[in-house]
Amino acid sequence: MLYNSGLLKFRKISSPSNDKLGYLTPIECPNDIPFEIKRIYYIYDVKKEIVRGNHSHKKLHQVLLCLNGSIDIRLENFFGEKKFTLNDPSVGLYVGPDNWREMSNFSEEAVLLVLASEKYDEDDYIRDYDTFVEYNQKKYGGIK
Ligand code: T46
């Protein structure tokens, strides 16, 4: 697992008496995710060739869920990088602070739901890659 991130498998509840009802996935704090949710947002109608993200956060914790379709997520931090494909609404990707993220390859009608630990704060973003590298070198350089 890449430092400060990882996949979370949530419950997928079906009805034993009627298998045509489909599934229900509940997410409760703090049992299912490691923070209290202060904000949710969702990203949709994204063309396949578009790459979103290209930033990191200093304090924000989030869980990313692809509710429909498929989305690729690339995470990079001081200790390495990893790619994930989200295509199951019962699986979330936890992304802690200091991870550079890129969301790409959105399938048609893909919907990315994000559960966030804080309200929107532009000051929490690092949107310049060189600044991200320098910030992490200062923070983690001594412990590599
Ligand atoms: C992240 C990834 C997964 C708001 O006004 N409120 C909000 O809560 C958010 C998230 C964004 N905005 C504004 C800020 C920008 O003017 O919406 C615009 C688009 O935001 P951004 O370019 O940051 O979107 P993404 O898709 O690159 O990144 C978003 C989140 O911002 C980010 O925290 O981790 O999704």
Side-chain angles (χ1 to χ4, degrees):
M1 187 199 289
L2 183 62
Y3 168 77
N4 217 6
S5 65
L7 293 172
L8 303 174
K9 178 77 181 112
F10 299 117
R11 284 167 289 160
K12 192 171 170 182
I13 301 173
S14 57
S15 165
S17 57
N18 185 350
D19 62 5
K20 295 190 178 75
L21 283 179
Y23 298 101
L24 183 154
T25 292
I27 300 177
E28 293 181 359
C29 320
N31 297 353
D32 298 307
I33 62 171
F35 55 82
E36 291 289 330
I37 300 166
K38 291 214 178 117
R39 174 173 53 120
I40 67 169
Y41 59 91
Y42 36 97
I43 296 171
Y44 51 97
D45 264 354
V46 182
K47 299 263 180 297
K48 205 167 184 67
E49 64 275 14
I50 294 297
V51 179
R52 297 189 62 121
N54 290 310
H55 58 256
S56 71
H57 283 280
K58 294 181 227 168
K59 295 205 177 114
L60 190 67
H61 299 260
Q62 301 191 110
V63 171
L64 280 54
L65 290 135
C66 182
L67 295 190
N68 189 51
S70 160
I71 301 167
D72 290 344
I73 314 281
R74 189 181 80 86
L75 296 181
E76 175 186 339
N77 63 37
F78 187 74
F79 301 96
E81 73 171 310
K82 191 157 180 184
K83 272 192 180 167
F84 301 85
T85 296
L86 297 182
N87 56 13
D88 177 344
S90 69
V91 173
L93 177 62
Y94 165 71
V95 183
D98 304 330
N99 281 291
W100 190 263
R101 81 253 1 240
E102 287 169 13
M103 300 93 78
S104 66
N105 203 18
F106 284 71
S107 69
E108 206 177 338
E109 300 191 350
V111 179
L112 182 66
L113 176 72
V114 183
L115 313 176
S117 66
E118 305 297 333
K119 291 183 181 169
Y120 174 68
D121 175 11
E122 188 58 40
D123 289 342
D124 190 61
Y125 286 71
I126 299 178
R127 292 188 183 270
D128 174 70
Y129 184 76
D130 291 342
T131 307
F132 160 75
V133 170
E134 197 181 318
Y135 178 89
N136 282 282
Q137 177 62 35
K138 274 196 196 130
K139 190 164 172 182
Y140 299 105
I143 56 173
K144 195 168 191 182

